[in-house]
Amino acid sequence: MKVSDLEIDPRIAELLAEEGIKKLYPPQAEAIGPALEGKNVVMAIPTASGKSLVAYLAVIQSVLRKGKALYIVPLRALASEKYEDLKAFESLGIRVGVSVGDYDAPDPTLEKFDVIIATSEKADSLLRHRAHWLKELSVVVADEIHLINDPGRGPTLEVTLSKLKQINPRAQILALSATIKNSNEIAEWLNADHIASDWRPVPLKEGVFYEGEISFEDGTKKSVADCGDDVSSLVLDVVKEGGQCLIFVNTRRSTEALSGRVGMHLKDILEPTSSKELAMLSRKLQSRQDEPTSLGARLSRRIRYAAAFHHAGLTNGQRKMVEANFKSGLVKCIVATPTLAAGINLPARRVVVRDLTRYDPNYGNVPIPVMEVKQMSGRAGRPQFDTEGEAILLAKKPGDSAFIMENYLLSEPESIDSKLGQRPALRMHILSSIATGHVRTEEELKSFIESTFFAQKTDFWTISDIINDVLEFLTEEDFIEAGEGYKATFFGKRTSDLYIDPLSAVTLRKALGGKSDTAFAYLHAICATPDVPTLYLRRGDYEWVEELAANEEYLIDYDDYDDYEFFLAEVKTAALLQSWIEEESADAITKRFGVGPGDIRRWVDMAEWLMHSMTELSRIFDKSKSRTLSALMPRIRYGVKKELLDLVSFRGIGRARARSLFSHGYKTREDLKKADVKDLSRLPLIGTTIARNIKLQLGGSVTIEEEEKMGGQSILHDFQAE
DNA sequence: TGTCATCCGTTATAGACAGCATGTC
DNA sequence: CTATAACGGATGACA
């Protein structure tokens, strides 16, 4: 089917033609009809087979007819990917905005945008804050809807869609899914046309590798030259033919070890020119302006030989760097944990799945679901570059080969299932429903639950006991009042708005009744909430954590714990945050706590969010604590001692530069006012740009152009500093 | 004596979302 | 009810 035959605005067709899109893939062709007619559609087709294009077209079509769209994605990184895609249509007068936790579109009302891209949590949060434009939506896109299956985040997506459906029954819903067994049930739930297909733009060959030979699912075989290491052999094989390779393993440590090994083999076959470029890139990485860490150094060493590793311990900057250099073709191989399978689109000619099990603390190593393996395999084959993609699963023992063939290659992905029936999910979502007034009576609560995917497969009454428990809990803890129907208390409303687990709110309230007033006590309190996951206790940790635990004060005492280990894990987590605000170097934290620099960032983010919540709750329960709490906030954000707070308020100045200024005698705003740009720019970590920036910000009479230039520069700096 | 290969017991384990400030028609 | 890659120290082989 040709794009020009579609009943769409000719300008859209023109734009698509510019992008080189003239024909639709078969599953797209099948979906586009109902999608443009405004019908609900569920598309279950493999990744990178053009699901999004159908959604884009429906969205644009609707917007051109004065509609408004919400595009829900699971990851912040995907939000910016979609944003970039949709921006291509801005010339049609479509205004696209992004709204995710750490970054909101410049216009806070979001109202003036025609398309708003949000994570599912943000969409939920927008509903909680009663954003009225949600009632005006004409289209809702739910990307990766199979994530409803995720026990942690699935219920949010499910509830958000259910609420949107109730608030705004006329809005068209487009749900995009990976291939799953029961996508038809999703379609049923959403009252949608169901389109399922295995079609891929680049054909995929799947196979098992064992002892030097790949056995493909179609019966063909291919032998691979052995270089002494299974995985490296597979990498060399494809790189020699000009391809790239993506390898999935199940631990972070393995990504680093394997990428090192692969690199040792790769280095012999690299072209001299790319070898030179890699050396440059590697050096550039080491001289980056952000805090040097041993992980960064290791990454830089691996990059030198065209093999990189990728996992959630990397900073965002490092991840982007790895991804970009793989896309450009310079990096030949990435060894990654599953982060990469769920994240942005990063195809390679060959995908190797080395580990088919994952560690579970309760059961040891358990097999990973077929759906996940398919998701990883789906990254094989770059449209427009490769004629076919190869997904190769590794057999380690003689019997594995047959097992893998049968249980993975020839197996259908599993069915997905709602996880809304679980207590924590219900706690959170029942409260928010009551707090926003979406649900006011038992009757309405029932009808709301019955509108979810959960209820489609499970009878309401099977969980009515849990629901009653949850309602009782919410009442007892003073989140809601049961009178004539349900009503949220102020505490309940704040909890819902702050987007924390009600259980967290209970913990924080309790902490606010405590006597201590040390930074550590507050940090521990937030680490004691279910919203902040604790660090693992490693064998060597017990001694120092116990000692530390004994010497600190608490708002929540360890007498309250059944499980001492639990408490110690919280103490360890609080200790990480403490080290951060005491300006311990990133690398030292990395080593002491066994985390990556990216993990530090994540925990700091969570701490900021929870500390903010605690500050807000202190206004209700104990105003005397508000001062200490709000003083702690910027310290957490920037990772600095009190004395640097003045300096860190400048754009472009973080913990490292602030410390540099301070230790050279520039301790306050006043000191900087008196300082000379030349002197400043001679300090370590501070160049002429930064020095001028500081002066500019001190200036007082900053013109708009200068302000803009400054903003631009500081954005540049932020990017580098990541 | 130094270097490398091999063996063996020990160790640690994937991922990542959310709040808020502020002004204008 | 369920595992295993990677590391580090110890030992052994060889120049």
Side-chain angles (χ1 to χ4, degrees):
Chain A
M1 183 187 258
K2 284 190 199 149
V3 169
S4 50
D5 296 339
L6 291 174
E7 289 186 25
I8 49 172
D9 197 296
R11 290 174 298 170
I12 303 178
E14 237 170 78
L15 272 178
L16 289 176
E18 274 172 36
E19 306 257 317
I21 302 171
K22 295 193 175 109
K23 273 170 63 182
L24 291 183
Y25 297 144
Q28 291 174 333
E30 202 183 326
I32 195 73
L36 290 179
E37 277 169 37
K39 285 192 183 162
N40 295 345
V41 180
V42 169
M43 295 180 70
I45 57 178
T47 7
S49 306
K51 281 179 286 213
S52 331
L53 183 70
V54 176
Y56 294 164
L57 290 178
V59 161
I60 293 157
Q61 166 104 332
S62 180
V63 166
L64 289 179
R65 294 175 180 163
K66 304 270 171 270
K68 199 173 178 71
L70 175 66
Y71 201 119
I72 303 173
V73 294
L75 258 40
R76 298 200 285 233
L78 286 174
S80 27
E81 199 182 64
K82 301 295 166 204
Y83 177 67
E84 292 303 319
D85 287 351
L86 282 162
K87 248 193 3 201
F89 300 97
E90 270 187 336
S91 59
L92 302 179
I94 291 168
R95 293 154 301 181
V96 188
V98 176
S99 178
V100 296
D102 60 352
Y103 172 79
D104 250 324
D107 189 311
T109 65
L110 294 174
E111 231 179 328
K112 69 169 203 192
F113 295 103
D114 305 307
V115 185
I116 292 132
I117 306 165
T119 53
S120 35
E121 285 74 11
K122 189 64 184 197
D124 184 20
S125 169
L126 290 168
L127 276 166
R128 295 181 185 206
H129 287 88
R130 308 151 195 98
H132 60 275
W133 51 265
L134 288 165
K135 291 195 186 114
E136 291 151 27
L137 291 175
S138 57
V139 198
V140 176
V141 181
D143 204 358
E144 315 274 2
I145 198 169
H146 55 273
L147 289 176
I148 279 186
N149 193 49
D150 183 287
R153 299 180 55 206
T156 305
L157 177 58
E158 186 180 340
V159 162
T160 303
L161 280 175
S162 303
K163 279 190 187 166
L164 284 169
K165 245 177 15 162
Q166 287 197 324
I167 291 176
N168 187 355
R170 290 220 300 248
Q172 175 187 17
I173 298 180
L174 299 166
L176 316 181
S177 168
T179 41
I180 48 173
K181 201 172 178 180
N182 60 339
S183 49
N184 59 319
E185 292 179 351
I186 304 272
E188 214 175 293
W189 170 49
L190 294 174
N191 194 12
D193 282 18
H194 177 226
I195 286 146
S197 156
D198 282 334
W199 190 90
R200 291 176 43 98
V202 184
L204 177 65
K205 278 189 95 168
E206 295 171 279
V208 192
F209 179 82
Y210 186 62
E211 297 201 321
E213 191 177 61
I214 311 170
S215 315
F216 288 103
E217 171 205 23
D218 61 11
T220 58
K221 292 188 190 289
K222 180 177 182 183
S223 60
V224 174
D226 186 19
C227 69
D229 175 78
D230 276 2
V231 179
S232 301
S233 306
L234 285 167
V235 176
L236 289 188
D237 183 60
V238 72
V239 170
K240 275 183 184 158
E241 288 169 26
Q244 288 169 293
C245 192
L246 227 51
I247 303 165
F248 289 102
V249 295
N250 64 6
T251 65
R252 292 179 178 187
R253 203 155 68 157
S254 292
T255 65
E256 299 194 19
L258 225 203
S259 59
R261 221 154 65 219
V262 169
M264 291 325 283
H265 290 104
L266 267 180
K267 74 171 178 203
D268 302 327
I269 65 162
L270 290 175
E271 310 262 337
T273 49
S274 58
S275 194
K276 227 189 234 165
E277 270 182 79
L278 286 163
M280 265 167 59
L281 180 64
S282 173
R283 263 202 307 280
K284 209 172 90 193
L285 274 175
Q286 278 174 326
S287 60
R288 283 166 70 95
Q289 295 221 324
D290 63 4
E291 279 198 73
T293 56
S294 46
L295 180 138
R298 278 185 322 264
L299 184 59
S300 143
R301 276 207 299 279
R302 302 289 189 280
I303 291 270
R304 174 72 187 76
Y305 300 127
F309 58 86
H310 189 285
H311 57 68
L314 311 200
T315 62
N316 278 326
Q318 288 164 335
R319 279 198 237 186
K320 277 190 199 147
M321 189 277 303
V322 170
E323 289 157 11
N325 286 291
F326 188 78
K327 270 195 176 148
S328 79
L330 193 55
V331 168
K332 300 296 180 195
C333 169
I334 299 181
V335 187
T337 54
T339 10
L340 217 54
I344 60 150
N345 188 24
L346 196 77
R349 186 181 301 171
R350 177 174 284 175
V351 167
V352 176
V353 183
R354 192 193 67 176
D355 302 328
L356 291 167
T357 61
R358 180 174 311 134
Y359 179 79
D360 179 317
N362 303 315
Y363 304 111
N365 270 5
V366 294
I368 53 179
V370 177
M371 186 177 49
E372 281 186 38
V373 175
K374 297 274 179 206
Q375 197 118 35
M376 296 188 244
S377 305
R379 299 273 129 149
R382 294 183 308 161
Q384 284 143 29
F385 293 103
D386 301 327
T387 50
E388 67 175 18
E390 290 176 327
I392 299 163
L393 317 194
L394 225 67
K396 290 162 195 174
K397 297 193 300 286
D400 284 358
S401 234
F403 176 87
I404 292 171
M405 187 61 90
E406 168 148 358
N407 291 288
Y408 285 106
L409 300 188
L410 302 175
S411 279
E412 218 182 335
E414 296 81 0
S415 285
I416 63 159
D417 208 1
S418 169
K419 300 292 189 291
L420 187 57
Q422 320 239 320
R423 206 170 291 259
L426 286 173
R427 218 163 41 213
M428 183 105 179
H429 293 295
I430 290 181
L431 173 60
S432 87
S433 303
I434 294 174
T436 51
H438 188 81
V439 158
R440 281 161 306 195
T441 62
E442 202 161 326
E443 216 26 62
E444 285 181 350
L445 177 60
K446 183 165 178 259
S447 97
F448 169 58
I449 299 279
E450 279 178 344
S451 76
T452 62
F453 181 57
F454 176 79
Q456 181 171 325
K457 298 185 70 174
T458 321
D459 187 38
F460 175 81
W461 299 112
T462 62
I463 57 157
S464 64
D465 281 352
I466 304 183
I467 292 181
N468 284 331
D469 275 5
V470 169
L471 285 169
E472 204 173 299
F473 164 83
L474 293 174
T475 316
E476 261 170 25
E477 296 292 353
D478 204 30
F479 289 104
I480 58 172
E481 284 162 352
E484 233 173 286
Y486 303 114
K487 223 179 127 225
T489 61
F490 184 64
F491 173 49
K493 279 208 187 82
R494 283 309 285 142
T495 301
S496 165
D497 284 353
L498 290 167
Y499 211 82
I500 55 178
D501 186 332
L503 216 51
S504 296
V506 171
T507 303
L508 294 180
R509 180 178 59 191
K510 186 169 166 208
L512 286 164
K515 283 199 293 285
S516 309
D517 200 42
T518 63
F520 189 89
Y522 288 106
L523 292 174
H524 171 261
I526 60 169
C527 293
T529 66
D531 277 314
V532 178
T534 54
L535 292 163
Y536 291 103
L537 280 177
R538 296 179 302 179
R539 190 165 292 209
D541 288 335
Y542 283 86
E543 208 179 326
W544 72 265
V545 176
E546 260 179 297
E547 198 189 319
L548 176 75
N551 290 323
E552 290 291 348
E553 286 179 39
Y554 298 92
L555 285 158
I556 294 168
D557 225 54
Y558 63 77
D559 304 338
D560 303 346
Y561 290 78
D562 308 329
D563 193 340
Y564 186 54
E565 296 229 339
F566 241 60
F567 175 71
L568 286 184
E570 287 167 12
V571 170
K572 182 181 172 188
T573 313
L576 183 149
L577 296 169
Q578 171 93 339
S579 311
W580 169 251
I581 64 173
E582 287 300 324
E583 294 182 42
E584 196 170 322
S585 76
D587 196 45
I589 296 178
T590 278
K591 293 207 172 93
R592 189 143 68 89
F593 294 91
V595 297
D599 298 307
I600 301 179
R601 189 68 254 163
R602 279 210 321 284
W603 258 286
V604 166
D605 278 347
M606 289 186 281
E608 229 184 301
W609 165 47
L610 265 293
M611 202 55 88
H612 167 76
S613 302
M614 193 168 180
T615 312
E616 289 298 303
L617 293 182
S618 78
R619 289 172 203 246
I620 309 179
F621 298 114
D622 183 0
K623 289 209 175 79
S624 70
K625 291 208 164 65
S626 302
R627 265 193 56 223
T628 325
L629 277 164
S630 32
L632 213 44
M633 286 282 292
R635 289 192 58 197
I636 296 176
R637 170 178 306 215
Y638 295 105
V640 293
K641 296 182 186 164
K642 247 196 197 122
E643 61 199 31
L644 294 190
L645 286 181
D646 214 15
L647 298 173
V648 111
S649 67
F650 288 87
R651 264 172 298 174
I653 307 296
R655 65 189 320 227
R657 292 189 176 127
R659 184 43 71 187
S660 172
L661 287 169
F662 193 91
S663 62
H664 289 88
Y666 304 97
K667 302 189 175 178
T668 61
R669 268 189 108 75
E670 289 308 306
D671 295 339
L672 287 173
K673 260 187 189 155
K674 283 179 248 154
D676 187 64
V677 175
K678 267 212 196 85
D679 292 336
L680 287 180
S681 63
R682 269 197 285 272
L683 299 178
L685 300 175
I686 293 173
T688 47
T689 321
I690 300 290
R692 238 179 290 142
N693 239 329
I694 294 173
K695 278 299 186 186
L696 219 55
Q697 290 178 57
L698 279 166
S701 65
V702 183
T703 67
I704 290 170
E705 299 91 79
E706 277 170 327
E707 174 82 50
E708 254 168 28
K709 212 162 67 189
M710 220 159 64
Q713 281 167 348
S714 79
I715 285 166
L716 187 70
H717 156 248
D718 282 349
F719 179 72
Q720 289 171 339
E722 274 177 326

